[in-house]
Amino acid sequence: MTTKMAIGAKANAKSSSAFFHSQDIFRNQHRLIRFIEQSIRLCSNQSLKAAQQQQQQQQQLNKTQLDADFSISKSLNSEHWNAVPEPVEHDPDVGQQFYGNQLMVRLASPQQLQPKPDRDEDLIFGKQFTDHMLKIYYHKSLGGWQRPEITPLENLVMHPAAKVLHYAVELFEGMKAYRGVDGKIRIFRPNMNMNRMNLAAKRSGLPTFEGKEFIKCLSRLISIDSEWVPHTQAASLYIRPTLIGIDPTLGVASSDSALLYAILSPVGSYFKSDSTGAVSLLADPSYTRAWPGGVGNRKMGSNYAPTINVQKKADAKGLQQVLWLYGENHDLTEVGTMNIFMFFINDKGEKELITPPLNGLILPGITRDSILALARQWGQFKVTEGTFNMPRVCELLNQGRLLELFGTGTACLVSPINRIHYMNQDLYIPTMEQEKPVHETIRTALTDIQYGKVPHPWAVVIE
């Protein structure tokens, strides 16, 4: 009964320390339930107290050991951290840039306010949106970027010949804002998203922009809609910056007019999983997501539409996502919209964490980059960026050396994998059977940074 009351409670996360304590319990709910079941069997208050003390001592011992092995440094000056990307150079003909101090704000009227969700725990990804949006127009004929503006959430109006509608001249990013244990709102490594967005803009013939100035505008938008940031660590506020070509002319060419905008959406879990929290995958080598020389390493809408029908095939087989393979050797590239990691025992008997290299076939994920940096800092196992294929996965699995497979990304963070349907066979991955799974350690480390449990430069506070 106590557990049900805790789950159903709607606490004030800004001031209540009890709320945040309950969230820690939720993260390990299966352990709590086991403890309650054991406690009921005890015959006296004295034995209950002794059991509680013993469990607390064991938890503290485990936490001390875990902290020692996987401590997070606050410094970015370590050799383990990947370098912050260099600013993208603008083409000379882009024209004037926009700046955060130019921002205009038009607040929503009471009639325009959106209904807020009743329960943050029940949020469905991308179904609800906040009250306001950010819009910045670009017109080459007017000198370049125009003044940024925050407006009520509203429909876009564009010419039916707009390039985005005919030639998929469009790109986007995925970011999140998190309400920390101290009540502050943070966004995670936004400079990485801005760099990736500008690289995609260059490839798409769209105008580039100053990422740090867009972050200033975005921060103001989040502060205005701050009450939409969920008061729980089981949810967050998804941020979708988007850049589209809006030239009212037909013809495949660079865009002389564009719209850069951002919308916000409170979200819960992205992927459906089974009762264990893991996902199952369809690995069909007859389908390819990306190829050398293409734009598989850019976050463009044109990369995603061709995957929808394959996802339907996975759904028809009772599988949650698609594992994308490439080439004659069936190299693993991405899983769904995520990067993929494999944790295994290599030929030298070492534990190794490997993820596909940035060879143009995969998206340079911010979560991917963060995991590599953390794992290298910990120094507890070998960390590699390298190609691996399905025959290798099958070999490791048959030899009992494949320990974990998991996907990573902004939307899902870390998603364990427990089954792959490949060449008409089901491969069962022991990801959820490990005593101290690496994917859980990684998820905890990342969420500790994102929710402000560990001060870190990656987590940028929204003032």
Side-chain angles (χ1 to χ4, degrees), residues 161 215 294 319:
I215 293 171
L319 305 164

Side-chain angles (χ1 to χ4, degrees), residues 81 93 117 143 205 231 246 299 322 359 400 409 418 422 446 451:
W81 302 115
D93 62 348
H231 294 259
I246 58 173
K299 206 167 181 65
V322 176
N359 56 7
N418 66 354
Y422 171 68
L446 288 172
Y451 288 96

Side-chain angles (χ1 to χ4, degrees), residues 248-301:
T249 57
L250 297 178
V252 182
S254 296
S255 297
D256 291 336
S257 292
L259 172 61
L260 173 61
Y261 68 93
I263 53 178
L264 310 175
S265 174
V267 297
S269 176
Y270 182 76
F271 291 121
K272 294 184 293 183
S273 59
D274 63 16
S275 59
T276 69
V279 296
S280 54
L281 310 176
L282 170 64
D284 189 336
S286 62
Y287 299 104
T288 301
R289 192 196 77 90
W291 50 89
V295 291
N297 59 343
R298 300 290 175 248
K299 206 167 181 65
M300 300 175 177

Side-chain angles (χ1 to χ4, degrees), residues 125-126 176 238 240 267-272 304 321 337-338 410-413:
F125 192 93
K176 280 185 177 180
Y238 188 76
R240 175 51 66 88
V267 297
S269 176
Y270 182 76
F271 291 121
K272 294 184 293 183
Y304 295 85
Q321 291 298 317
T337 58
M338 301 180 286
T410 298
C412 68
L413 194 58

Side-chain angles (χ1 to χ4, degrees), residues 321-355:
Q321 291 298 317
V322 176
L323 175 58
W324 297 102
L325 307 177
Y326 174 78
E328 295 179 356
N329 296 326
H330 301 173
D331 296 336
L332 282 75
T333 59
E334 291 191 357
V335 50
T337 58
M338 301 180 286
N339 294 125
I340 190 168
F341 282 81
M342 179 171 71
F343 189 56
F344 68 107
I345 300 172
N346 63 24
D347 295 337
K348 296 181 180 179
E350 307 166 314
K351 288 185 177 179
E352 181 175 341
L353 182 68
I354 187 171
T355 192

Side-chain angles (χ1 to χ4, degrees), residues 31 343 345 351 400-405 429-440:
R31 297 175 183 170
F343 189 56
I345 300 172
K351 288 185 177 179
R401 293 195 284 144
L402 177 53
L403 305 177
E404 301 177 46
L405 276 175
I429 315 300
T431 306
M432 308 303 289
E433 301 171 14
Q434 307 305 314
E435 184 177 355
K436 294 181 179 179
V438 165
H439 74 271
E440 282 192 9

